[in-house]
Amino acid sequence: MKGSCLCGAVQYEVEALSSPIMHCSCNTCRKAHAAAFNTCAAVKPEDFRWLTGEEKLSQFESSPGKLRKFCSVCGSQLISTKEGMPFHVLRVACLDDDPQQTPALRIWKSHEVSWMNYEHDMPQYEEWQPGR
């Protein structure tokens, strides 16, 4: 599967996901992604490679040893790494190809925001809601 940042400066390839896709609602993911949760999956380092733009990457240490890597041009977060961990955490929403699976679990439920309806009983639209 291939993936990229918003501006296309950074591109990567993933051979396979190493975990189910999950939604993470931890405080740092919420702040870093400016969203109620981050959708992610583990990927083994040997199954991940940068194709172009690696020199455009910046990183931020959001907690001891955890580096969030993002495009220095557009700010898209792409992966995070942590010292001693056997996998990278891939930001699934930046995949350009379909991972052929859907999210299977939510983590950090204790950090979920009160204003978000995490159930799937709300109206859904392919793009904008009618009349917008």
Side-chain angles (χ1 to χ4, degrees), residues 1 13-19 41-48 90 101:
M1 294 169 283
E13 187 171 51
V14 176
E15 290 297 318
L17 300 180
S18 303
S19 75
V43 62
K44 294 176 187 171
E46 60 267 25
D47 290 338
F48 180 90
L90 178 74
Q101 58 177 290

Side-chain angles (χ1 to χ4, degrees), residues 45-109:
E46 60 267 25
D47 290 338
F48 180 90
R49 70 182 179 105
W50 300 110
L51 297 175
T52 61
E54 189 173 0
E55 73 282 357
K56 301 275 189 201
L57 289 174
S58 289
Q59 60 188 25
F60 174 71
E61 188 173 17
S62 60
S63 57
K66 182 175 184 172
L67 299 175
R68 293 173 178 270
K69 299 185 180 191
F70 56 94
C71 175
S72 64
V73 177
C74 66
S76 295
Q77 286 204 46
L78 302 167
I79 64 167
S80 67
T81 60
K82 188 166 183 176
E83 293 175 21
M85 293 298 286
F87 55 83
H88 299 327
V89 179
L90 178 74
R91 305 325 184 194
V92 174
C94 286
L95 284 172
D96 297 325
D97 296 324
D98 185 343
Q100 302 295 312
Q101 58 177 290
T102 58
L105 63 142
R106 298 189 330 242
I107 60 174
W108 286 92
K109 187 169 170 45

Side-chain angles (χ1 to χ4, degrees), residues 25-27 30 106-114 118:
S25 296
C26 78
N27 291 331
R30 288 191 300 107
R106 298 189 330 242
I107 60 174
W108 286 92
K109 187 169 170 45
S110 62
H111 287 194
E112 288 180 345
V113 294
S114 61
Y118 292 90

Side-chain angles (χ1 to χ4, degrees), residues 4-16:
S4 61
C5 63
L6 176 62
C7 71
V10 181
Q11 298 177 11
Y12 61 86
E13 187 171 51
V14 176
E15 290 297 318

